[in-house]
Amino acid sequence: MPVFDLATTELRALNQALHALDKSGPAEDFEVTNPRGSHAVAVGIDAPVNVTIDGSVGYYCAGMNEQATITVKGNAGPGVAENMMSGKVVIKGDASQYAGATAHGGLLVIEGNASSRCGISMKGVDIVVKGNIGHMSAFMAQSGNLVVLGDAGDALGDSLYEARLFVRGTVKSLGADCEKKEMRPEHIELLTKLLADAGITDVKPEEFTRYGSARTLYNFNVDNFDAY
Amino acid sequence: MCGIVGLFLKDKSLEPQLGALLSDMLVTMTDRGPDSAGIAIYGADQNNLVKLTIQSPDPETDFAGLTEDLRKAGITNASILPKSTHAVITVSSDQLEATRTALEELRPDVRVMGTGSVMEIYKEVGLPKDVLERFKISDMTGTHGIGHTRMATESAVTTLGAHPFSTGSDQCLVHNGSLSNHNNLRRELTREGIRLETQNDSEVAAAYLTGEMAKGKNLGEALTSALDDLDGFFTFVVGTKSGFGVVRDPIACKPAVMAETDAYVAFGSEYRALVNLPGIEDAKVWEPEPATVYFWEH
C-alpha cells in the first residue's frame, strides 16, 4: 500500500500519484500521514481508490473527487469535497465552512459538526452530517439531499431550488423561500437508504423533518415590479 | 486574505517559549499575506514603569543620544533599548504623557507603536520570517501575544498600516477582513478624543474597543458592542494586559480555528498555524462561532 508522509514528501507527489491511477481500477489503498492542515490534499482524483488521511487537513480536501473513497481521520478545513462528482468522502471530525459546495454527486459524510454554508449551491451530492450545521447552509441548493442529525443554524435553505433537506434537531431559522414539508413514504425510503449509506443504524428516518423550496422565487411576481 | 495568530499561556513554564511558539505560528501563515507582519508580546510587569515601543524610518539618527535628550527634557529615568527600526523606551508611569510630548518635539519622525506596562509591539513591511528575525521575537518571553501577516486592502503597505494596532495602554488588535463603516466611526472616535494615526480600517476597530473599555466595559463587553457597531467582515484577535479575546462577524467568512489545552489557548487563521504547538494532538480544537465573543483573562 503506498504511504505518503507529507512531513517528508511534497503534496504534489501525492496528488500526481493519485491522478496517474487508471480510471477503471483496480482499486488501490493509499495512506497519507502527517497532513498537518495542508491544503488541497487528495484533490482531482478520478479512480476507484481508497485514500485514508491520518490527521486534519486544510482547504479543499477531496475537491472535484470522482470515484474515490477518501477518509479524513481528523478535521477538515473550508471547502471539503467541493464540486465532488462521485465517490465518497468521510470526515471523522468537524468540517469548516462550505463543505460539499457545488458538488454534483457522491456522498459526503461528516461525523462531527459542519460550520456555515454547508452544501451551498449543491447540485446533486448527498451530504450526511451527524452533528450540527452552521448558518446559510444549503443556500441556493439545486439538487441532492442534505441530512442533518443535529441542529441547523440560521437561514437554512435560503433561495433553495430542488434539493431536499432533512433535519432531525431544531432549525434556528429558515431562509427565504424555504419551508417545512410533509414526509411522504418516498422520503422515508430515501432517508433510510441515505442513513444506511452513511453507516448510521441508531437513528430512524421518522425522526426527521423535511424542508424544501416553496418555489415562490422561481418566477417573477408582477406585484414586485415597483421594487425594480 | 491576511493571517492572524494568537497564543494565551495558562502554563507559566511555557512563558520563555512564547516568542518562539508565536513566531512559528506566524511564519506558517506567510502565504496568507506577504505585505507586512507584526507581533505584540505581553511580558513581565515592572513596578511603576511604562514602556513605549517607538519606530523610526531613520533609527540610527533618531535613536542616537535619545536617552540623554529625554533626560534633559525632564524624563529623568528614561532608558532606551533599540531593536532595529524599533526601540523600547522605559519611563516612570507618571511620565508617559510627558515622554510622548517630548518625543514629538525631539524626534518628529518617530512614531509610537504602542504603550503599556507589559506590552511591546514590533511591525514592519516584509515577510513574517524577516520581520520576526529583525526584532529577535523568538527570544522573547511573555504571558500572551498576537501576530498578523497582512495582505493589504483598505490602506497602503506601510509600517504604520501593519498590524497589530494599539490605541490604548496595553491594548492591541489584529484583524482579518475589511470594515465598511470605518470612516464614519473614525470621525466619531476622533471627536471623543481618541488618537488615530492612519487611514486604516483595523485601527478604527482597535480605537473603538479602546473607547468602549474607557467607558468601563471589560474586553468581553467591548467585543459584544463591536458586533452591533462595526459593519463589514472581521475576525479579530485582541490582547489586553491580562486578557485575550476573539470575535467574528455574523457572516463569518474570514477563517478561524482555536485550540485549548490545560497549558494554553491558541488562535490561528488556519489549523496549519497550530500544528507545532505542544500537545496539539490532544487539544480541544474548534471553529469559533459567528457573532460570538470568546475571551480569557489571567
Side-chain angles (χ1 to χ4, degrees):
Chain A
M1 176 173 71
V3 178
F4 285 78
D5 181 352
L6 291 185
T8 55
T9 313
E10 287 278 307
L11 172 67
R12 187 160 286 182
L14 165 70
N15 283 335
Q16 284 182 342
L18 291 167
H19 297 169
L21 295 171
D22 196 321
K23 277 183 187 193
S24 48
E28 280 194 67
D29 291 329
F30 274 59
E31 188 179 351
V32 180
T33 57
N34 291 309
R36 294 160 65 84
S38 299
H39 300 170
V41 177
V43 294
I45 303 175
D46 185 5
V49 60
N50 296 307
V51 182
T52 305
I53 301 165
D54 294 322
S56 294
V57 292
Y59 282 74
Y60 308 125
C61 178
M64 301 174 282
N65 183 46
E66 290 194 66
Q67 303 192 64
T69 298
I70 299 168
T71 306
V72 177
K73 293 182 171 172
N75 301 319
V80 66
E82 187 171 74
N83 217 67
M84 173 157 64
M85 303 303 286
S86 63
K88 182 175 179 180
V89 174
V90 180
I91 310 301
K92 293 285 181 185
D94 296 334
S96 184
Q97 50 183 333
Y98 48 92
T102 75
H104 290 245
L107 173 65
L108 169 61
V109 180
I110 297 162
E111 300 199 351
N113 301 313
S115 75
S116 59
R117 295 171 276 273
C118 178
I120 184 170
S121 195
M122 55 193 273
K123 295 176 170 71
V125 67
D126 293 323
I127 303 176
V128 179
V129 182
K130 289 195 184 175
N132 306 321
I133 58 171
H135 64 278
M136 294 300 283
S137 287
F139 176 56
M140 296 187 83
Q142 288 145 59
S143 71
N145 303 292
L146 172 62
V147 180
V148 184
L149 274 62
D151 302 330
D154 274 318
L156 175 71
D158 194 283
S159 307
L160 190 65
Y161 292 87
E162 293 300 300
R164 299 179 196 90
L165 318 179
F166 300 97
V167 182
R168 182 158 158 260
T170 58
V171 173
K172 201 167 174 197
S173 67
L174 291 173
D177 209 33
C178 181
E179 65 177 14
K180 195 187 270 191
K181 300 216 172 197
E182 176 197 4
M183 280 286 255
R184 294 195 297 267
E186 68 261 36
H187 301 121
I188 297 291
E189 193 182 329
L190 170 69
L191 202 43
T192 304
K193 181 185 178 300
L194 290 170
L195 291 168
D197 289 350
I200 296 167
T201 51
D202 55 346
V203 170
K204 293 189 184 70
E206 291 79 8
E207 295 169 22
F208 290 77
T209 304
R210 181 169 71 103
Y211 300 89
S213 176
R215 302 190 180 99
T216 61
L217 298 178
Y218 279 26
N219 301 298
F220 183 70
N221 183 341
V222 76
D223 292 342
N224 294 333
F225 185 78
D226 287 345
Y228 293 89
Chain B
M1 208 151 50
C2 296
I4 52 184
V5 298
L7 187 60
F8 178 83
L9 299 179
K10 301 188 211 170
D11 177 357
K12 283 193 176 299
S13 70
L14 282 176
E15 289 181 6
Q17 294 178 56
L18 179 78
L21 292 169
L22 210 47
S23 296
D24 179 80
M25 292 167 75
L26 190 59
V27 168
T28 310
M29 291 293 93
T30 299
D31 50 13
R32 296 191 63 89
D35 294 332
S36 61
I39 211 146
I41 298 267
Y42 290 80
D45 204 352
Q46 299 161 279
N47 276 344
N48 301 319
L49 294 177
V50 64
K51 297 192 265 197
L52 297 90
T53 310
I54 60 168
Q55 180 268 351
S56 165
D58 181 9
E60 280 184 29
T61 315
D62 277 339
F63 299 162
L66 181 56
T67 313
E68 292 71 31
D69 289 351
L70 283 170
R71 288 182 180 172
K72 273 184 220 156
I75 317 296
T76 44
N77 62 350
S79 67
I80 173 167
L81 180 67
K83 270 194 183 182
S84 180
T85 56
H86 287 43
V88 177
I89 302 175
T90 307
V91 299
S92 304
S93 32
D94 56 357
Q95 290 197 302
L96 174 62
E97 278 314 307
T99 309
R100 268 189 183 271
T101 312
L103 276 173
E104 277 169 19
E105 284 170 20
L106 295 166
R107 301 287 191 275
D109 293 335
V110 160
R111 290 284 171 268
V112 176
M113 304 312 240
T115 66
S117 54
V118 294
M119 183 190 71
E120 295 177 20
I121 286 193
Y122 299 93
K123 54 189 191 181
E124 268 303 345
V125 172
L127 293 175
K129 77 171 171 47
D130 299 330
V131 174
L132 295 164
E133 174 58 32
R134 178 194 279 249
F135 300 116
K136 307 278 179 250
I137 300 295
S138 58
D139 299 337
M140 292 183 76
T141 291
T143 53
H144 54 300
I146 63 178
H148 185 274
T149 180
R150 180 172 186 228
M151 183 171 281
T153 56
E154 298 288 303
S155 74
V157 178
T158 59
T159 304
L160 284 182
H163 301 221
F165 284 100
S166 178
T167 49
S169 177
D170 284 320
Q171 294 170 7
C172 69
L173 168 143
V174 291
H175 174 203
N176 178 14
S178 56
L179 300 179
S180 42
N181 64 338
H182 60 100
N183 283 331
N184 247 341
L185 261 178
R186 186 183 292 108
R187 278 192 287 273
E188 288 170 21
L189 292 164
T190 306
R191 205 177 301 130
E192 288 173 24
I194 293 173
R195 181 199 202 102
L196 287 122
E197 306 265 350
T198 73
Q199 290 304 303
N200 185 282
D201 59 327
S202 311
E203 188 190 20
V204 172
Y208 169 82
L209 294 175
T210 297
E212 293 304 299
M213 285 189 272
K215 290 173 195 163
K217 290 182 181 172
N218 70 18
L219 175 60
E221 291 162 344
L223 290 171
T224 304
S225 314
L227 286 167
D228 289 330
D229 293 334
L230 298 182
D231 189 20
F233 294 118
F234 54 85
T235 294
F236 294 133
V237 180
V238 181
T240 64
K241 187 174 175 182
S242 59
F244 176 81
V246 172
V247 69
R248 305 172 78 194
D249 69 77
I251 304 291
C253 63
K254 296 298 175 185
V257 180
M258 298 206 66
E260 185 167 12
T261 69
D262 291 340
Y264 58 80
V265 178
F267 176 96
S269 288
E270 299 175 27
Y271 178 72
R272 281 189 303 153
L274 312 179
V275 294
N276 289 331
L277 289 172
I280 188 70
E281 303 78 18
D282 302 315
K284 177 193 168 202
V285 176
W286 79 101
E287 182 170 313
E289 294 282 328
T292 304
V293 171
Y294 296 82
F295 80 106
W296 289 263
E297 205 106 32
H298 272 133

